[in-house]
Amino acid sequence: MSTHTSLVRAVPPQVVKELLVRDDAGRPAVPLTDGEGGSPLRCCLRRSRPGERIALVSYAPLRRWASETGVDPGAYDEQGPVFVHADGCAGPEDEGLPFTSAHRVLRRYSTDGRILGGRLVQAPEDFVPALREAFADPAVALVHVRAVEYGCFLYEVRPG
């Protein structure tokens, strides 16, 4: 999935499979049926629908990126709760920027896994300019889009 300046990355299907067996905190997933819907799924970057089987698992996005790149994120390694489909997922269905209807924080990370700063984004039309601004800085390797209320990781964006 891409924007004009970046590549949006959901939690990949293979990683979802791993998280359902044992999440990044070492716990097995506990699937449930989402009776109301509306949970932000990180595997397909949409909200759950009533009746879908989902699981809340612990995910360490920077740790997983660091393991791909050979970087040690040090104290910036963190894990947090994310919703994923409990029975597999084909990934995102469209190429738009997801979850832009609420205030978000775009947290920037360097190539050595350190936080370079962040930016509050309040309107859907401000996401693409904020990402362009982030990736105009050659020190920025990736951006995490996070919920403001709880700080939860929503998805990762890399330069495209």
Side-chain angles (χ1 to χ4, degrees):
M1 190 182 317
S2 65
T3 68
H4 298 291
T5 60
S6 52
L7 180 65
V8 175
R9 295 175 52 99
V11 177
Q14 182 56 42
V15 173
V16 171
K17 288 178 186 174
E18 293 170 11
L19 294 171
L20 291 170
V21 173
R22 189 153 308 281
D23 70 13
D24 286 345
R27 291 185 292 269
V30 179
L32 60 101
T33 299
D34 189 349
E36 295 181 19
S39 298
L41 295 163
R42 283 28 170 247
C43 51
C44 55
L45 302 179
R46 66 166 174 80
R47 297 218 175 256
S48 63
R49 297 178 184 115
E52 283 189 296
R53 296 214 2 102
I54 64 173
L56 183 62
V57 297
S58 186
Y59 180 59
L62 191 63
R63 180 186 313 161
R64 287 183 175 269
W65 169 83
S67 70
E68 289 176 20
T69 60
V71 171
D72 176 7
Y76 294 101
D77 178 21
E78 61 183 338
Q79 60 195 32
V82 298
F83 288 104
V84 296
H85 275 113
D87 301 317
C89 179
E93 295 173 356
D94 70 42
E95 296 194 10
L97 282 168
F99 307 125
T100 60
S101 61
H103 295 174
R104 303 292 181 214
V105 170
L106 304 185
R107 189 185 296 170
R108 303 171 185 188
Y109 290 90
S110 66
T111 56
D112 62 356
R114 302 303 186 254
I115 293 175
L116 292 176
R119 178 173 172 188
L120 176 65
V121 179
Q122 299 181 20
E125 63 271 13
D126 295 336
F127 275 76
V128 169
L131 288 167
R132 283 189 182 131
E133 175 188 293
F135 293 123
D137 180 347
V140 175
L142 71 154
V143 171
H144 285 177
V145 177
R146 292 180 173 263
V148 172
E149 308 85 17
Y150 302 106
C152 296
F153 171 85
L154 291 167
Y155 56 93
E156 179 180 296
V157 184
R158 296 186 189 182

